[in-house]
Amino acid sequence: MTSETIELVERVRRRLKEHENTCEIAGPVPESAIDAAEISLGVTFPPSYRTFLRTFGGITIPPHLGIVHDFVGASEVVAKTLAARAERKLPEHLVVVGMGAQFQEWFCLDVSRTDANGEAPIRMFDTRDNALDQQFYDDFGQMLEEVMGFVADSLEQPLD
């Protein structure tokens, strides 16, 4: 996750506040909490997701603004992923890191497919079909940047 992405998130947060919408940022998470989450899930988080957790902790935006409205933070990632594994037979190599704007869409890190930099692609799991869908993003950082970029562009448009 780049410094430009961090500034983009802050710009979106400020603009949403101007429009009387909320952008909830959970707040930074210590390395010990990130390590504990990894142990609980039996996975290693990719660098972009670890940076996100250390920087923001979690982000929620209004559902109508983006394809992903809840960037799952450290306080939720274990509970959401373990529940998904139990209730929906979510495979062990998937970690729920985003909640889709559509009901029951989960954006998941696929930690079985990490690249040379340790990054994992984001795939959607549609609970309505109880099936893994296509790859949406190359990594968590790209997902955050693209969704927040779309929100920022939308907020720049004049209201009719």
Side-chain angles (χ1 to χ4, degrees):
M1 190 167 61
T2 65
S3 59
E4 290 84 16
T5 302
I6 293 169
E7 174 50 37
L8 175 61
V9 169
E10 287 301 321
R11 189 169 70 241
V12 166
R13 184 189 58 75
R14 287 190 303 269
R15 293 286 300 172
L16 283 172
K17 189 175 181 180
E18 291 170 11
H19 290 273
E20 297 182 9
N21 285 302
T22 58
C23 175
E24 296 175 21
I25 297 177
V29 175
E31 283 292 329
S32 59
I34 298 169
D35 294 340
E38 288 178 322
I39 291 167
S40 294
L41 295 172
V43 301
T44 300
F45 294 147
S48 60
Y49 187 59
R50 289 184 72 87
T51 300
F52 167 78
L53 294 173
R54 281 193 312 268
T55 307
F56 299 110
I59 299 174
T60 304
I61 60 174
H64 67 280
L65 291 178
I67 188 169
V68 178
H69 70 88
D70 183 359
F71 297 89
V72 178
S75 64
E76 303 175 293
V77 69
V78 172
K80 285 187 185 296
T81 300
L82 291 179
R85 288 176 181 174
E87 296 166 12
R88 297 293 184 160
K89 299 189 181 357
L90 186 75
E92 299 286 319
H93 64 276
L94 298 176
V95 177
V96 179
V97 295
M99 304 304 289
Q102 298 295 317
F103 181 68
Q104 300 284 321
E105 289 179 338
W106 300 336
F107 288 83
C108 302
L109 289 168
D110 185 347
V111 297
S112 70
R113 298 176 48 205
T114 57
D115 65 17
N117 297 320
E119 291 296 344
I122 301 289
R123 300 182 71 192
M124 189 180 76
F125 187 87
D126 189 334
T127 60
R128 294 170 296 198
D129 299 330
N130 214 43
L132 192 60
D133 202 337
Q134 69 193 32
Q135 177 176 321
F136 269 74
Y137 303 99
D138 292 336
D139 58 45
F140 186 87
Q142 180 191 21
M143 178 174 74
L144 182 64
E145 183 178 336
E146 285 190 17
V147 172
M148 289 298 190
F150 176 80
V151 172
D153 289 347
S154 297
L155 294 171
E156 296 300 321
Q157 302 303 316
L159 299 172
D160 292 329

